[in-house]
């Protein structure tokens, strides 16, 4: 079981979109579980789940949950609005950073990949997600790219690695909502080079593509909704890179 979380405390950068679409592409070849750790429940709603019988909150309450099947080889543990206050409640728990890691043990033999969609904040739920993961993918929106934003996500991951989860590595930084006409500023590219970060970026960039939003309105992954769209082509390409990076090490 490879566990991968999608993390960035900036909202709207494509964490949920990437979770939906990479998980769906992977489910063609592997058993995949997705976990919605955001009380906004965008991931759950994207699969038409609004009033689930089990939720991620049950998982954090250390209950045993049976994930909901949404497609062949693709299961979800959805979120609900009441999960909003969860991080305050688990503050007082014993080993509060490791609740999710412990809970995922029971799925170890059942899935090849687990994806955890984080909320747009660095709260205790996000710390649990990073502590339970082998890899993190950090999506960054092309038009709002900031070195300090990316640096702080890398530093946050590094401190989790040093203090809680030595097994975690950054699988890649992912440029999303990319528009070829708006080249990443030369200054930024130079800074990326200076920091030696080029290899950290996936070669695939997710282009801006209105079909992606339309597919979510229809509660379908992009590959199912329009397999010829740029969005589908980009997410298939990203999925191949993810498989290779996981298989060959970083
Ligand atoms: N490549 C893309 N092209 C066009 N629209 C996109 C693309 N990727 C994501 N979107 C749209 O941008 C919005 C934000 O994306 P998404 O929900 O995946 O971000 P997020 O990082 O999960 O946000 P939050 O932090 O609020 O959970 C959504 O409406 C989604 O449909
Ligand atoms: Mg989201």
């Amino acid at each position: 079981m490879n566990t991968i979380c999608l993390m960035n405390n900036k909202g709207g950068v494509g964490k949920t979109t990437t979770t939906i679409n990479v998980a769906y592409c992977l489910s063609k070849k592997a058993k995949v579980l997705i976990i919605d750790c955001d009380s906004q429940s965008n991931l759950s709603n994207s699969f038409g789940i609004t009033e689930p019988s089990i939720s991620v909150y049950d998982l954090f309450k250390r209950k045993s949950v049976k994930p909901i099947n949404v497609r062949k080889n693709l299961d979800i543990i959805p979120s609900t609005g009441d999960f909003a206050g969860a991080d305050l409640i688990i503050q007082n728990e014993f080993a509060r950073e490791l609740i999710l890691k412990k809970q995922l043990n029971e799925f170890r033999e059942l899935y090849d990949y687990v994806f955890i969609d984080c909320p747009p904040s660095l709260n205790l739920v996000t710390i649990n997600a990073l502590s339970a993961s082998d890899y993190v993918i950090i999506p960054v929106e092309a038009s709002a790219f900031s070195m300090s934003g990316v640096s702080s996500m890398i530093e946050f991951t590094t401190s989790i690695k040093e203090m809680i989860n030595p097994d975690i590595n950054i699988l890649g930084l992912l440029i999303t909502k990319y528009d070829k006409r708006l080249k990443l500023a030369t200054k930024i590219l130079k800074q990326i080079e200076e920091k030696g970060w080029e290899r950290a970026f996936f070669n695939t960039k997710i282009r801006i593509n209105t079909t992606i939003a339309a597919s979510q309105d229809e509660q379908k992954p992009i590959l199912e909704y329009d397999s010829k769209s740029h969005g589908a082509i980009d997410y298939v390409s990203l999925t191949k890179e993810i498989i290779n990076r996981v298989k060959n090490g970083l």
Side-chain angles (χ1 to χ4, degrees), residues 44-70:
S44 314
N45 297 341
S46 303
F47 285 100
I49 296 175
T50 49
E51 288 179 24
S53 52
I54 57 102
S55 79
V56 71
Y57 205 0
D58 296 321
L59 208 59
F60 274 87
K61 287 175 186 159
R62 302 181 199 268
K63 292 184 188 164
S64 174
V65 305
K66 187 175 182 307
I68 299 169
N69 178 250
V70 284

Side-chain angles (χ1 to χ4, degrees), residues 20 66 71 76 94 99 113 142 146 166 169 180 225 232:
I20 297 166
K66 187 175 182 307
R71 294 290 188 283
I76 183 171
F94 176 71
I99 301 169
Y113 288 91
S146 90
N169 284 303
K180 262 211 304 276
Y225 181 77

Side-chain angles (χ1 to χ4, degrees), residues 12 14-17 36 38 40 42-43 117-120:
K15 296 181 286 294
T16 302
T17 301
D36 189 351
D38 186 357
Q40 294 179 94
N42 293 335
L43 180 66
D117 184 21
C118 291

Side-chain angles (χ1 to χ4, degrees), residues 45-162:
N45 297 341
S46 303
F47 285 100
I49 296 175
T50 49
E51 288 179 24
S53 52
I54 57 102
S55 79
V56 71
Y57 205 0
D58 296 321
L59 208 59
F60 274 87
K61 287 175 186 159
R62 302 181 199 268
K63 292 184 188 164
S64 174
V65 305
K66 187 175 182 307
I68 299 169
N69 178 250
V70 284
R71 294 290 188 283
K72 184 168 184 271
N73 283 337
L74 181 60
D75 294 352
I76 183 171
I77 298 177
S79 185
T80 45
D82 63 344
F83 190 55
D87 66 308
L88 293 175
I89 289 167
I90 59 177
Q91 290 276 2
N92 303 317
E93 292 276 311
F94 176 71
R96 59 190 182 175
E97 291 91 358
L98 297 170
I99 301 169
L100 190 57
K101 183 182 175 76
K102 173 106 198 317
Q103 289 291 86
L104 292 190
N105 272 336
E106 72 169 299
F107 302 119
R108 198 150 282 283
E109 305 301 320
L110 301 178
Y111 297 100
D112 302 305
Y113 288 91
V114 175
F115 286 88
I116 308 173
D117 184 21
C118 291
S121 65
L122 303 182
N123 60 15
L124 198 43
V125 170
T126 299
I127 293 173
N128 262 271
L130 286 164
S131 303
S133 296
D134 306 303
Y135 301 104
V136 55
I137 294 174
I138 304 172
V140 283
E141 193 179 333
S143 65
F145 191 95
S146 90
M147 289 306 284
S148 68
V150 175
S151 293
S152 68
M153 289 309 101
I154 293 175
E155 278 160 23
F156 191 68
T157 306
T158 307
S159 47
I160 298 285
K161 187 175 173 76
E162 283 169 5

Side-chain angles (χ1 to χ4, degrees), residues 10-17 38 40 42 120 177 206-209 212-213 216:
K10 206 166 171 317
V13 297
K15 296 181 286 294
T16 302
T17 301
D38 186 357
Q40 294 179 94
N42 293 335
K177 301 189 180 178
I206 308 299
R207 287 169 283 183
I208 198 153
N209 182 211
I212 287 183
Q216 283 169 12

